[in-house]
């Protein structure tokens, strides 16, 4: 398409187009204002439902998660308080009662 249009901030598709006053991505159907195109320099972490997570939030685990190197399992419905967001593949750093400190992926939690 056109070289002067930004890639989609959600899926990084290059096939965006301008429709009136908003950009639209035909790949993921994301819509955004041109003023929002370069306003966010930091990474936005979202839960499984698409809610934005922040450090200090409480989340609930939505899937049984095996703890690597152990026979422990984090069960569905386990509530995790006071999360901390970090960079990397596992973007949530937390402490779970009965298990201890660990890192979780945001796709396996929902905001409580």
């Amino acid at each position: 398409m056109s070289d002067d249009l930004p890639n989609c901030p959600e899926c990084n598709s290059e096939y965006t187009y301008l429709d009136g006053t908003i950009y639209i991505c035909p790949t993921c159907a994301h819509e955004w204002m041109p003023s929002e195109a370069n306003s966010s320099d930091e990474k936005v972490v979202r839960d499984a439902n698409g809610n934005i997570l922040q450090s200090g939030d409480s989340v609930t685990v939505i899937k049984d998660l095996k703890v690597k190197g152990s026979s422990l399992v984090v069960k569905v419905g386990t509530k995790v308080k006071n999360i901390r967001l970090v960079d990397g593949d596992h973007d949530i750093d937390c402490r779970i009662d009965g298990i201890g400190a660990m890192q979780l992926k945001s796709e396996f939690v929902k905001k409580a």
Side-chain angles (χ1 to χ4, degrees):
M1 299 290 167
S2 180
D3 291 332
D4 59 337
L5 294 176
N7 289 354
C8 176
E10 293 292 317
C11 69
N12 204 28
S13 172
E14 61 186 21
Y15 301 110
T16 59
Y17 62 93
L18 187 62
D19 184 24
T21 60
I22 61 172
Y23 289 120
I24 299 177
C25 174
T27 307
C28 69
H30 179 67
E31 300 176 353
W32 71 99
M33 299 294 294
S35 61
E36 299 173 13
N38 294 326
S39 65
S40 176
D41 290 337
E42 62 185 53
K43 181 181 172 189
V44 175
V45 178
R46 297 183 183 268
D47 69 356
N49 295 331
N51 299 319
I52 297 175
L53 296 174
Q54 298 177 346
S55 290
D57 283 346
S58 294
V59 296
T60 304
V61 177
I62 61 167
K63 177 182 176 182
D64 282 346
L65 301 173
K66 295 179 183 177
V67 179
K68 191 171 186 175
S70 170
S71 62
L72 298 173
V73 175
V74 179
K75 296 285 188 182
V76 171
T78 301
K79 189 167 184 177
V80 181
K81 298 177 185 175
N82 198 21
I83 64 169
R84 191 170 49 119
L85 300 179
V86 294
D87 291 333
D89 187 30
H90 293 74
D91 42 16
I92 297 175
D93 195 16
C94 62
R95 179 171 301 280
I96 298 177
D97 293 337
I99 295 176
M102 65 181 309
Q103 292 185 332
L104 299 172
K105 291 185 178 184
S106 59
E107 63 197 62
F108 298 122
V109 299
K110 66 178 181 179
K111 195 169 185 176

